[in-house]
Amino acid sequence: MRRLVDVLTTTLAVLSALAMALMMLHVTADVAGKYLLRAPIPGTAEVVANYYMIAAVFLPLAWVEARSQPIVVDLFYTMAPAAGRRAMDLLGTVLTIAFYGVLAWLSWGSALAAWRIGEIVEGTWKVVVWPAKFLLPLGLAIACIVLMPRLADLLLGRDPGPRTEPA
């Protein structure tokens, strides 16, 4: 099971990195076209905002959570006794799952609505955006699934694995 999670989360992280690379190339080509050829690429802003940025932010969430490396603030954590750190880990994990879960559920409804109407964005060019709406609930739901074994370990009093150390 751990191998499947590793493959899935790594695949999502690679897709996110690919989206960032494509965004960089797309925007560079758009700017070059605009200033060198007086012909920008139509729909660049729409594609960047509706595809690349969503993929770059939400697809790697599961990868970050699987490695237990989200952004953390260790102000009180490092000073707390072991029981306090365990309680904070448990509360943080429960709240993260709840937050991701609610966002996934709400964005799933939005994605279905966009799919039903064939949502597009019209700027200088029509851009079909409904497929990108599914990236948000996908990334969030997989992050929730990845966090479940951590929650189970915390509830059963087992060590959930390494925690990010402060930089």
Side-chain angles (χ1 to χ4, degrees):
M1 184 64 162
R2 185 171 292 273
R3 179 77 180 129
L4 176 64
V5 168
D6 284 344
V7 168
L8 179 60
T9 59
T10 301
T11 300
L12 291 175
V14 168
L15 289 173
S16 174
L18 182 61
M20 286 190 281
L22 288 172
M23 178 171 49
M24 179 187 66
L25 293 172
H26 191 157
V27 170
T28 301
D30 180 56
V31 171
K34 179 179 180 180
Y35 290 107
L36 298 176
L37 306 173
R38 305 271 190 256
I41 299 172
T44 296
E46 291 82 3
V47 171
V48 166
N50 289 288
Y51 282 91
Y52 300 139
M53 286 188 180
I54 301 297
V57 171
F58 290 98
L59 291 183
L61 282 177
W63 183 80
V64 169
E65 295 296 351
R67 279 144 188 81
S68 201
Q69 294 182 334
I71 296 171
V72 296
V73 178
D74 285 331
L75 183 62
F76 299 111
Y77 187 86
T78 55
M79 295 185 296
R85 288 193 303 270
R86 186 179 168 288
M88 285 185 242
D89 284 341
L90 182 61
L91 179 64
T93 302
V94 167
L95 290 176
T96 301
I97 291 170
F99 181 73
Y100 287 171
V102 168
L103 281 179
W105 179 66
L106 292 173
S107 61
W108 177 255
S110 179
L112 286 176
W115 171 64
R116 283 188 196 107
I117 64 170
E119 186 174 346
I120 61 168
V121 173
E122 288 192 55
T124 54
W125 210 9
K126 288 183 182 179
V127 177
V128 177
V129 295
W130 69 261
K133 301 285 184 175
F134 287 95
L135 295 176
L136 193 87
L138 174 73
L140 290 163
I142 293 172
C144 281
I145 292 166
V146 165
L147 281 168
M148 291 300 180
R150 179 176 180 78
L151 178 61
D153 286 344
L154 288 166
L155 289 171
L156 295 172
R158 295 188 299 231
D159 181 16
R163 186 174 183 285
T164 303
E165 293 300 320

